[in-house]
Amino acid sequence: MKKNNLIHAVTIFFLTFSGLVAAEQIQSSPSFSNTLRSISISNGQSGEIVAKLTLEQALPTAPVGVALNNPFRIYFDLNQVSNGIGKNYQESLEGDLRSINVVQVDDRTRVVLNLAKLMQHDIQIKDNLLLIRLAAAPAKQTRASPVRITEAASQKQTNGLRDIDFRRGTLGEGRVVIDMTKTNANVDVKQQGDVVLVDFVDTFIPDSLVRRMDVLDFATPIQTIETTRTGDNVRMVIKPHGRWEHSARQSGTQFVLEVRALSNDEDEIEKRKRATGGYTGERLSLNFQDVEVRAILQVIADFTNINIIASDSVGGNLTLRLRDVPWDQALDIVLQVHGLDKRRSGNVIFVAPRKEMADRELLDLEAQLQVADMEPLRSEIFHLNHRRVNSLTFDGMLSKRGTISLDEISNTITITDIPMRLAEIRKRIEKLDVFERQVVIEARIVEAVDTFSRSLGARFGVQNATDVGGYGFGASGNLAGSSTLAAGGGAAGPNNLNVNLPAAAATGLLGGPAALGLSLMKFNNGRLINLELSALETDNKGRVIASPRVVTAHGIEAIIEQGDRVPYQQATSSGATSIRFMDATLRLKVKPLITYNGQIDMELNVNQDKIGAPLNQFLPPPINTKQVTTKVLVENGGTVVIGGIFDRTENVIVNKVPFLGDIPILGYIFRNTVRVDNKRELLIFVTPRILSETLNLQ
């Protein structure tokens, strides 16, 4: 009888500690109509793995396989079947099937296949044999064009989503129900931060189901459900709020994910833990006088309904009086008084002296090290799809007997080590060898120029009438294309002019200012008073646009550059000369990082250089530079102004004859005035966009 109770307690411990099944009520005498006799593993056709389960009788229906992640495994529940193979664990050395766990609970037996990676499975019943075929999941392929869901399932033999539904459970839980076209489809569920990610491997989804659902009004922990395409897969992002937990199940072509809020009792446990210094047990009172420690441990075990196993070296008596303390705190007090320690696994607590506990753990560690030194080595070849072999490091992951070989031509890594280290390296490669998302960055450099200048001047003097020759009006042209109007029979020339302050020609203008000449008055002695007015007004507006564009991967710096290299001579200390070059280019240098929420963090350097006018023949021409260096965070497809320069120059220059130029009104003919108003504005815009795996803009 005691032996049966011990086996029963160990069974409860194993089920709870391994986490393979949920906590269930263990019945004392379950009834079985079938028995699992043996399990054999072999290699099938096309590299598949076949697990053959031999039963006493044929199963009425095929069991449903449920694929789980982290770690990868597939389990099957055999109802009304007992475990008759005499063990709960069987190791496998065939491909990606690592081992098999067999656990009997109530009137069913659960068979768990522990995998190295996600695999597809197929079930077949032949008489009293249950055949489970495992095959590697197909590699991702680019879909050429959208097709109907029925065509996709028939042509590519992949899964498809028919419908996505949301329901509220009777206890307020949020329930997402997905109908698929294929049974036993590969579904990967994992929690990442405050969201739940559900990946449907090799699954097609129609455009009508690619959407974002707001289910906040249903009063469940789930706020939004967003479904998108990622290559040949479908990703569903479920965002709950508050304190919650999730569970998933798959039956046939239906997949259900539930998210429920944590109860008030669990919140109360957390509050109690903070109030009692970390203890959460129910409160009890103990009053003993010179009683054995083993008897106190038995009392605590009966109170908590937890199995406590004491070592043979645990002994001694104890007197204590405790009132209204958590039972786990009372247990720690008893252990501290007698120098004991505990280790807990599920609902079993093992108690022993500290030194004995430490020695036992040290022996276990030494045994593991000896196993690692004696365990046979295995070799495995890893083919990388997205990373280069020389970009990955495995420092500290290899054992002292492990070796690694890189082949850059085939982009493969060959590692020889014990199976445990190979499994760790395999997980690292699967996490790092992923598709690096790419970003296209487009910059626009806009330079607006608005220049304005106005120049007014006059020439004034006295001239002999005999030099002019008769009276009349006439016009004479000049090289600038302007005209001079003269009164008194000819053009007013520069001879005998006492004031010479004409309007100045604008810089870069081919011609000079327009002029108007007049003879104002003639005296009796034959002399004329001449006046020439000149004016020039220049207005120039322009806009220069440059648009460099570059595509790069996440975290990789990219540079695009276009322009000229200007040669110039440079003298050395010996007197010889050499030819050097200066760059006058338009350049965009950027390093993008894609954040978790889809934004883009960029380190930017944008510059636009132009060759200026040379100062003289001995110096190289100057380089006019416009440059900005910054770091910005931009949403996908958004546009940001990363820099701007506004330059305005206003000048008023007056040349005049002293005293006479200050006379009101009349002083205008004794001075010239130049007014300049130049405006220049530079703006730099940047727009990043994320490319999908099919190299299309998202």
Side-chain angles (χ1 to χ4, degrees):
M1 185 66 182
K2 292 183 179 179
K3 182 178 180 181
N4 293 335
N5 293 336
L6 179 60
I7 295 175
H8 190 63
V10 171
T11 303
I12 299 175
F13 156 71
F14 177 78
L15 295 178
T16 307
F17 178 71
S18 62
L20 297 177
V21 296
E24 301 185 28
Q25 182 67 30
I26 307 298
Q27 299 179 358
S28 58
S29 58
S31 59
F32 303 100
S33 60
N34 203 348
T35 303
L36 177 62
R37 293 301 182 187
S38 64
I39 299 178
S40 61
I41 305 171
S42 61
N43 286 326
Q45 299 177 353
S46 303
E48 65 181 9
I49 303 171
V50 180
K52 182 172 67 174
L53 282 65
T54 304
L55 296 101
E56 195 173 68
Q57 302 175 12
L59 293 175
T61 58
V64 177
V66 179
L68 301 176
N69 186 24
N70 196 21
F72 295 109
R73 58 196 185 277
I74 303 174
Y75 71 82
F76 305 86
D77 285 337
L78 308 179
N79 295 321
Q80 300 296 323
V81 176
S82 63
N83 180 13
I85 62 177
K87 57 183 178 179
N88 295 324
Y89 178 81
Q90 180 171 336
E91 187 177 1
S92 171
L93 300 178
E94 300 294 340
D96 293 321
L97 177 60
R98 299 307 180 196
S99 60
I100 299 178
N101 292 101
V102 181
V103 182
Q104 178 180 320
V105 182
D106 284 348
D107 58 350
R108 62 173 173 162
T109 296
R110 174 166 290 187
V111 179
V112 183
L113 308 181
N114 301 309
L115 309 175
K117 62 181 181 180
L118 191 64
M119 302 184 70
Q120 292 181 335
H121 65 276
D122 184 52
I123 304 174
Q124 186 177 5
I125 296 178
K126 290 185 177 180
D127 297 331
N128 64 331
L129 298 180
L130 176 64
L131 303 179
I132 303 175
R133 290 184 171 85
L134 301 176
K140 295 182 179 179
Q141 300 177 355
T142 303
R143 187 180 291 109
S145 60
V147 295
R148 292 181 301 173
I149 187 169
T150 55
E151 295 176 354
S154 61
Q155 293 177 5
K156 302 180 66 175
Q157 296 183 349
T158 58
N159 185 32
L161 300 188
R162 289 196 185 101
D163 188 25
I164 300 175
D165 191 15
F166 178 80
R167 302 170 187 172
R168 185 180 188 275
T170 56
L171 300 178
E173 69 273 14
R175 187 176 301 161
V176 184
V177 182
I178 298 98
D179 289 333
M180 303 177 293
T181 60
K182 186 178 180 181
T183 60
N184 304 324
N186 291 331
V187 184
D188 182 14
V189 182
K190 59 184 176 181
Q191 180 177 345
Q192 185 170 342
D194 57 349
V195 300
V196 179
L197 302 181
V198 183
D199 290 327
F200 298 89
V201 181
D202 288 331
T203 301
F204 174 77
I205 180 173
D207 294 337
S208 59
L209 297 181
V210 179
R211 63 179 184 264
R212 184 177 185 270
M213 302 169 60
D214 188 345
V215 294
L216 186 62
D217 295 339
F218 287 84
T220 69
I222 300 179
Q223 289 182 311
T224 59
I225 304 170
E226 186 172 2
T227 309
T228 58
R229 294 190 184 96
T230 56
D232 278 349
N233 301 338
V234 175
R235 165 161 289 189
M236 179 177 293
V237 180
I238 300 172
K239 185 176 182 181
H241 67 93
R243 299 179 62 247
W244 50 271
E245 65 179 7
H246 73 279
S247 61
R249 63 179 183 271
Q250 184 175 350
S251 176
T253 61
Q254 188 179 78
F255 175 82
V256 180
L257 182 128
E258 288 186 356
V259 178
R260 72 172 188 90
L262 295 180
S263 64
N264 295 331
D265 294 339
E266 293 165 332
D267 292 338
E268 184 64 27
I269 291 176
E270 293 297 328
K271 293 179 181 178
R272 188 190 312 161
K273 188 174 181 180
R274 292 190 296 267
T276 59
Y279 296 104
T280 60
E282 295 292 333
R283 295 181 179 272
L284 55 74
S285 297
L286 298 175
N287 189 357
F288 294 104
Q289 295 290 333
D290 194 22
V291 68
E292 291 184 357
V293 174
R294 304 177 72 91
I296 298 177
L297 296 178
Q298 181 64 38
V299 171
I300 296 177
D302 293 339
F303 177 80
T304 59
N305 199 24
I306 292 179
N307 302 302
I308 298 181
I309 302 175
S311 173
D312 293 339
S313 56
V314 175
N317 295 347
L318 181 66
T319 299
L320 79 162
R321 179 183 176 87
L322 299 175
R323 295 192 61 183
D324 198 25
V325 297
W327 70 264
D328 46 355
Q329 185 179 9
L331 177 61
D332 284 348
I333 293 173
V334 174
L335 299 180
Q336 291 172 8
V337 171
H338 280 266
L340 303 175
D341 203 354
K342 71 177 186 295
R343 295 291 184 269
R344 180 166 182 171
S345 297
N347 66 340
V348 177
I349 298 177
F350 178 73
V351 178
R354 288 195 182 96
K355 186 177 184 307
E356 180 182 338
M357 189 78 71
D359 293 342
R360 180 173 298 185
E361 292 178 347
L362 180 60
L363 290 175
D364 292 340
L365 179 60
E366 291 177 350
Q368 293 177 5
L369 295 177
Q370 291 177 0
V371 170
D373 293 338
M374 301 174 59
E375 191 173 3
L377 299 178
R378 293 179 57 188
S379 296
E380 190 165 347
I381 300 177
F382 300 94
H383 298 270
L384 302 186
N385 297 319
H386 306 288
R387 297 285 296 271
R388 295 294 179 184
V389 291
N390 53 13
S391 66
L392 299 180
T393 59
F394 304 96
D395 297 337
M397 300 190 68
L398 296 175
S399 67
K400 60 183 180 181
R401 295 192 296 156
T403 59
I404 183 171
S405 175
L406 307 180
D407 186 3
E408 297 184 1
I409 298 178
S410 61
N411 202 36
T412 58
I413 303 176
T414 303
I415 298 178
T416 302
D417 211 330
I418 59 178
M420 181 181 67
R421 296 300 178 93
L422 287 177
E424 295 176 358
I425 294 174
R426 187 183 304 106
K427 291 180 180 179
R428 177 177 175 84
I429 292 177
E430 290 175 353
K431 290 182 178 180
L432 297 181
D433 185 26
V434 295
F435 173 78
E436 290 291 350
R437 304 176 71 183
Q438 300 184 82
V439 185
V440 54
I441 299 99
E442 182 178 3
R444 286 183 177 270
I445 304 173
V446 180
E447 182 179 3
V449 179
D450 187 357
T451 61
F452 174 80
S453 64
R454 176 182 294 168
S455 179
L456 299 175
R459 298 200 299 174
F460 174 76
V462 180
Q463 184 180 15
N464 292 326
T466 57
D467 296 335
V468 178
Y471 294 98
F473 293 92
S476 63
N478 58 22
L479 295 177
S482 60
S483 61
T484 301
L485 183 61
N495 299 329
N496 299 323
L497 294 178
N498 303 100
V499 178
N500 188 16
L501 294 172
T507 303
L509 195 64
L510 296 178
L516 175 65
L518 299 172
S519 294
L520 299 180
M521 186 179 298
K522 180 178 181 182
F523 296 97
N524 293 331
N525 58 3
R527 293 184 176 274
L528 296 175
I529 299 177
N530 296 326
L531 174 65
E532 181 182 279
L533 301 176
S534 57
L536 176 66
E537 181 174 313
T538 304
D539 192 3
N540 181 23
K541 295 182 180 180
R543 185 177 66 175
V544 179
I545 298 179
S547 182
R549 181 175 180 178
V550 66
V551 178
T552 184
H554 165 78
I556 305 299
E557 184 179 81
I559 299 176
I560 185 171
E561 189 173 10
Q562 179 187 18
D564 301 319
R565 303 197 70 193
V566 182
Y568 67 96
Q569 289 186 348
Q570 185 180 36
T572 61
S573 58
S574 62
T577 60
S578 62
I579 302 298
R580 298 295 179 91
F581 292 88
M582 293 188 305
D583 293 332
T585 60
L586 168 66
R587 186 178 66 168
L588 169 64
K589 182 170 71 173
V590 59
K591 182 179 180 180
L593 295 174
I594 303 175
T595 63
Y596 169 73
N597 57 357
Q599 294 183 319
I600 304 169
D601 187 358
M602 296 180 294
E603 296 180 3
L604 282 162
N605 179 267
V606 183
N607 70 289
Q608 184 182 27
D609 301 337
K610 293 183 179 180
I611 304 174
L615 301 177
N616 55 55
Q617 60 180 348
F618 303 103
L619 295 176
I623 304 298
N624 300 326
T625 301
K626 305 176 186 67
Q627 179 175 334
V628 59
T629 301
T630 185
K631 182 179 179 180
V632 294
L633 180 66
V634 189
E635 63 181 3
N636 182 25
T639 301
V640 62
V641 181
I642 64 171
I645 300 175
F646 180 77
D647 182 15
R648 183 170 184 175
T649 303
E650 290 184 287
N651 288 329
V652 178
I653 303 174
V654 179
N655 298 316
K656 62 183 178 180
V657 177
F659 304 111
L660 296 178
D662 296 329
I663 300 174
I665 301 176
L666 188 60
Y668 283 105
I669 64 176
F670 294 98
R671 65 174 181 260
N672 74 348
T673 304
V674 178
R675 183 183 300 274
V676 178
D677 186 4
N678 294 336
K679 290 180 288 185
R680 187 181 301 270
E681 187 172 8
L682 175 67
L683 295 175
I684 301 177
F685 303 86
V686 174
T687 303
R689 293 183 178 89
I690 300 176
L691 296 176
S692 65
E693 296 184 12
T694 57
L695 300 182
N696 294 321
L697 291 176
Q698 290 187 355

